[in-house]
């Protein structure tokens, strides 16, 4: 299973990196953030739908193998449609960045990479631990019910699709602060020992995180002389954060339950 996931990761990396680079190279500059936000909204729908679909099929068919097989068939079908329907990319345009701006651009990209690493470490780690909390007392949720927790991703779909529109009127720094405060508030709300507060906390966490992600991802690519390189480094930080967060937050769960996860 781990080997299969490793191979899958190699394949999906090409999609993640090329998608944002394609947007930067083929979309009018003023629309990059908006289109990038819509792309992130699509990833939230995929993350939510894939987990719910596989969880439901696992319960229905009695085997997680069949759940993953159905998800794989769907992935192959959508990949084929993307190949047929996406317009051919425009020729790459070489970019010359004035030397006076290089240092500032590098610093800005590093901030985007840090947001990707820290934000995804928290988001992925909390959802990882949320599955443990859902299965434990007093909730005792089955796999299908636990998969429904990922409906909270829908809040991220909404915020990531809207953030590109408001970014033209509100400074990105302000959006980042408000979004991260929303996520932190969601973690605090989730400490209330009720199912409704648990779900509301996940909704607030996703709404804030994906707003940040929808701004940071296209920004990292747009500020790079080679958008594919900027997107690659951003996604590297993003998924290293996911891996590190999964381990740290699972360890926190073992050490002190949900309270330790939130801390």
């Amino acid at each position: 299973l781990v080997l299969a996931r490793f191979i899958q990761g190699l394949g999906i990396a090409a999609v993640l990196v090329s998608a944002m680079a394609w947007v930067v190279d083929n979309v009018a500059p003023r629309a990059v953030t908006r289109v990038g936000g819509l792309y992130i909204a699509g990833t939230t729908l995929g993350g939510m739908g894939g987990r719910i679909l596989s969880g439901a099929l696992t319960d229905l068919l009695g085997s997680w193998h069949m759940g993953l097989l159905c998800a794989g068939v769907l992935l192959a079908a959508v990949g084929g449609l993307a190949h047929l329907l996406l317009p051919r990319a425009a020729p790459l345009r070489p970019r010359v960045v004035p030397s006076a701006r290089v240092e500032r651009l590098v610093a800005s990209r590093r901030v985007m990479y840090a947001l990707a690493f820290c934000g995804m470490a928290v988001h992925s780690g909390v959802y990882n631990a949320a599955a443990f909390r859902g299965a434990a007392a007093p909730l005792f949720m089955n796999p299908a019910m636990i998969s429904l927790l990922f409906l909270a991703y829908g809040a991220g779909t909404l915020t990531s699709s809207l953030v590109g529109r408001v970014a033209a009127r509100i400074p990105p720094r302000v959006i980042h602060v408000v979004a991260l405060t929303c996520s932190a508030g969601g973690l605090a709300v989730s400490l209330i020992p009720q199912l409704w507060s648990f779900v509301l906390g996940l909704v607030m966490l996703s709404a804030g995180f994906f707003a940040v992600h929808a701004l940071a991802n296209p920004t990292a690519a747009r500020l790079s002389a080679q958008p594919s390189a900027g997107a690659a480094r951003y996604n590297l930080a993003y998924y290293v954060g996911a891996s590190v967060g999964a381990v740290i937050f699972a360890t926190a769960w073992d050490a002190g339950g949900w309270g330790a996860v939130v801390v």
Side-chain angles (χ1 to χ4, degrees):
L1 181 61
V2 173
L3 176 61
R5 292 289 286 170
F6 176 80
I7 296 171
Q8 187 179 26
L10 294 178
I12 201 68
V15 177
L16 295 170
V17 171
S18 61
M20 194 56 67
W22 188 94
V23 168
V24 172
D25 277 326
N26 293 275
V27 173
R30 65 182 181 278
V32 166
T33 302
R34 180 178 296 186
V35 176
L38 291 174
Y39 163 71
I40 299 302
T43 67
T44 65
L45 287 174
M48 175 176 63
R51 288 172 171 88
I52 294 172
L53 176 67
S54 59
L57 288 174
T58 295
D59 263 17
L60 180 65
L61 302 175
S63 168
W64 62 267
H65 298 81
M66 292 302 298
L68 289 183
L69 177 62
C70 291
V73 170
L74 176 62
L75 178 63
V78 172
L81 284 174
H83 180 71
L84 293 173
L85 298 178
L86 273 180
R88 188 177 298 276
L92 292 179
R93 301 184 300 273
R95 300 176 178 212
V96 179
V97 181
S99 57
R101 294 186 60 210
V102 169
E103 186 174 341
R104 183 165 60 87
L105 291 178
V106 169
S108 297
R109 290 200 302 270
R110 286 174 178 169
V111 172
M112 300 303 107
Y113 303 153
L115 286 170
F117 176 86
C118 296
M120 190 55 177
V122 172
H123 190 264
S124 173
V126 166
Y127 269 91
N128 195 41
F132 303 149
R133 187 186 185 190
L139 298 177
F140 296 114
M141 300 167 73
N142 62 33
M145 293 174 65
I146 290 174
S147 69
L148 291 177
L149 292 174
F150 290 94
L151 285 172
Y153 268 52
T157 305
L158 178 63
T159 56
S160 58
S161 62
L162 293 177
V163 75
R165 299 181 182 181
V166 302
R169 299 187 294 273
I170 302 175
R173 183 177 299 181
V174 174
I175 297 176
H176 285 151
V177 170
V178 171
L180 292 172
T181 301
C182 176
S183 290
L187 290 175
V189 167
S190 72
L191 285 170
I192 301 172
Q194 300 289 336
L195 179 59
W196 69 264
S197 58
F198 182 34
V199 173
L200 177 60
L202 294 178
V203 167
M204 293 174 65
L205 173 70
S206 292
F209 167 70
F210 282 111
V212 171
H213 181 36
L215 276 179
N217 195 351
T219 300
R222 184 167 47 83
L223 296 180
S224 300
Q226 293 180 301
S228 58
R233 295 188 187 102
Y234 182 92
N235 279 284
L236 176 62
Y238 184 87
Y239 282 104
V240 170
S243 300
V244 171
V247 174
I248 291 176
F249 282 75
T251 303
W253 170 264
D254 284 343
W258 190 252
V261 168
V262 171
V263 170

